[in-house]
Amino acid sequence: MSDAERGTAEQGSQKLDMSVKVYPAPAQDSKNLLATATVTLGGCFAIRGLRILDSEKGAFVSMPQRRNAQGEYKDICFPTTAEMRKELHSAVLGEYQRTMEQSYSRAEKAMERRESVLETLSQKAAEVKPPTPGKAKAADKGER
């Protein structure tokens, strides 16, 4: 077995270290764009510009693309095996799911804090006695 064949065989049995960062897209950006992502493979190769899109069949990952002279879009980089494509897509979609759950959790906590602050303010406002109308204080007229 040659060195090249051995390297390929070892790669096939070895799990590739992959880290994913997901950046949720603002709602007004695009009706189908859910988020963008960056993937780092093996700590030494980064892929930026992955898009997480929504379709009738659910969310899917689109690789970075470039438009050619004929106006067609072609992937700039892409997995060459079905196993790698599946692993990449599941890692990106899994991180997207985790990021969105974390975002919703933060929003819920912020709403709870906001409600408790508003509740406390309204309780304090009810406790404060309104000023009684009557004779103005002498200090208000500049007298001492």
Side-chain angles (χ1 to χ4, degrees), residues 137-144:
K137 294 182 182 177
D140 291 343
K141 295 180 182 178
E143 299 174 2
R144 293 203 173 207

Side-chain angles (χ1 to χ4, degrees), residues 33-73:
L33 180 65
L34 300 173
T36 58
T38 298
V39 175
T40 304
L41 301 171
C44 61
F45 186 80
I47 305 170
R48 292 184 180 157
L50 285 94
R51 294 178 300 148
I52 302 169
L53 300 169
D54 190 22
S55 73
E56 293 175 359
K57 296 180 181 179
F60 69 96
V61 178
S62 172
M63 298 302 289
Q65 298 177 338
R66 182 174 62 186
R67 198 165 159 172
N68 66 14
Q70 291 79 29
E72 300 169 328
Y73 287 94

Side-chain angles (χ1 to χ4, degrees), residues 1 4-5 9 11 14 17-18 24 41 47-48 50 53 58 65-66 72 77 80 88 93 96 99 119 129 132-133 142:
M1 185 183 281
E5 291 172 335
Q11 262 185 334
Q14 202 176 55
D17 178 38
M18 188 181 320
L41 301 171
I47 305 170
R48 292 184 180 157
L50 285 94
L53 300 169
Q65 298 177 338
R66 182 174 62 186
E72 300 169 328
C77 57
T80 56
L88 179 72
L93 292 176
Y96 171 72
T99 300
E119 190 176 291
K129 295 180 185 175
T132 55

